[in-house]
Amino acid sequence: MDLEKKPAAPAAAPAATPGAAPAELRASDADRDRIAHILADALAEGRLTAEEHSERLDSLYAVKTVGELEVLVRDLPAPGAAPATPAYAQAPAAPARPAPAGPAEVAESVVAVCSSVTRKGRWRPGAHTRVVSVLGDVNIDLTEAVFEQQVTEVSVTSVLGNVEILVPENVTLRGYGSGVLGNFEVHGEGRAGTTDPNAPVVIVRGFALLGNIEARPKTGARLVDLALKLRKRLEG
């Protein structure tokens, strides 16, 4: 008996990853900033040497497509990704638990790549701000900021860039950092008689490679009503 021959169904095309840009798409400034941020984090964490970082940074501005940019970071973890754990060290999976209510805290990022960025005036810094300067200038002015938490932490990575952080005189300023052929300085740290014991604390953590990071109090700038505001908040 003759059977009717039917053409084979065409193979289904692989599904595209949601939100992923085509590899052949021309890279935008935002794409290059994202890759520069990953490279800076890898340098600070010791995943890349200074020479490797310099080579990839040169390629960052030479390539043209999104796919070529992704090649530069394919062996590096994405920002915020947890390090891989060996299979023998993995614990048995725990039963799933409902996520706690409330929005997750997101660190603010300030990135300057061959550019200049300034944060100043009556703004509200988050509990954690990340600053990356690659051949750029960043100015973080906290002298008129509205502090909504007791401790404000600023993490800085500077590669051939300059980062300046200004704080009020009566705010406690602490610094932890280092430089490789660069400069990391925190002025006025722990000065007796100048800080307010009830005032917020600003912690600056930084790493400078052929760059400059400087944090200091601004003379004459004081938050005179900090103690009263904090006292009312605690009592209310």
Side-chain angles (χ1 to χ4, degrees), residues 36-141:
H37 197 167
I38 296 176
L39 293 176
D41 283 351
L43 175 66
E45 294 170 359
R47 299 180 188 275
L48 292 178
T49 64
E51 293 78 8
E52 291 171 332
H53 179 269
S54 179
E55 291 174 359
R56 299 194 188 195
L57 199 61
D58 290 341
S59 300
L60 176 67
Y61 300 102
V63 300
K64 297 180 179 180
T65 66
V66 173
E68 292 172 315
L69 285 179
E70 295 297 341
V71 171
L72 299 176
V73 295
R74 64 184 176 187
D75 59 342
L76 300 175
T85 303
Y88 60 82
Q90 294 178 354
R97 296 183 179 179
E105 180 183 345
V106 179
E108 179 183 1
S109 294
V110 180
V111 180
V113 179
C114 296
S115 61
S116 177
V117 178
T118 299
R119 291 284 188 276
K120 65 179 182 178
R122 204 69 174 165
W123 64 297
R124 300 174 184 271
H128 188 193
T129 299
R130 302 183 63 205
V131 179
V132 177
S133 175
V134 180
L135 292 169
D137 293 315
V138 177
N139 179 264
I140 304 294
D141 190 339

Side-chain angles (χ1 to χ4, degrees), residues 145-152 168 170-173 195-203 223 226-227 230 233:
V146 178
F147 294 92
E148 296 183 332
Q149 59 279 328
Q150 183 65 22
V151 179
T152 298
N170 56 331
V171 167
T172 301
L173 177 63
T195 60
D196 186 337
N198 296 316
V201 177
V202 175
I203 299 175
L223 300 182
L226 278 175
L230 289 173
R233 185 180 304 173

Side-chain angles (χ1 to χ4, degrees), residues 126-220:
H128 188 193
T129 299
R130 302 183 63 205
V131 179
V132 177
S133 175
V134 180
L135 292 169
D137 293 315
V138 177
N139 179 264
I140 304 294
D141 190 339
L142 297 169
T143 56
E144 298 181 9
V146 178
F147 294 92
E148 296 183 332
Q149 59 279 328
Q150 183 65 22
V151 179
T152 298
E153 183 171 327
V154 184
S155 300
V156 185
T157 300
S158 176
V159 180
L160 293 169
N162 182 65
V163 177
E164 182 183 40
I165 301 172
L166 300 176
V167 302
E169 282 187 324
N170 56 331
V171 167
T172 301
L173 177 63
R174 297 174 183 168
Y176 309 93
S178 61
V180 176
L181 298 177
N183 181 56
F184 177 86
E185 293 185 9
V186 175
H187 301 282
E189 182 179 7
R191 292 187 304 170
T194 60
T195 60
D196 186 337
N198 296 316
V201 177
V202 175
I203 299 175
V204 178
R205 303 182 188 275
F207 173 77
L209 173 65
L210 295 170
N212 178 65
I213 301 173
E214 181 180 3
R216 60 182 175 85
K218 184 176 180 180
T219 304

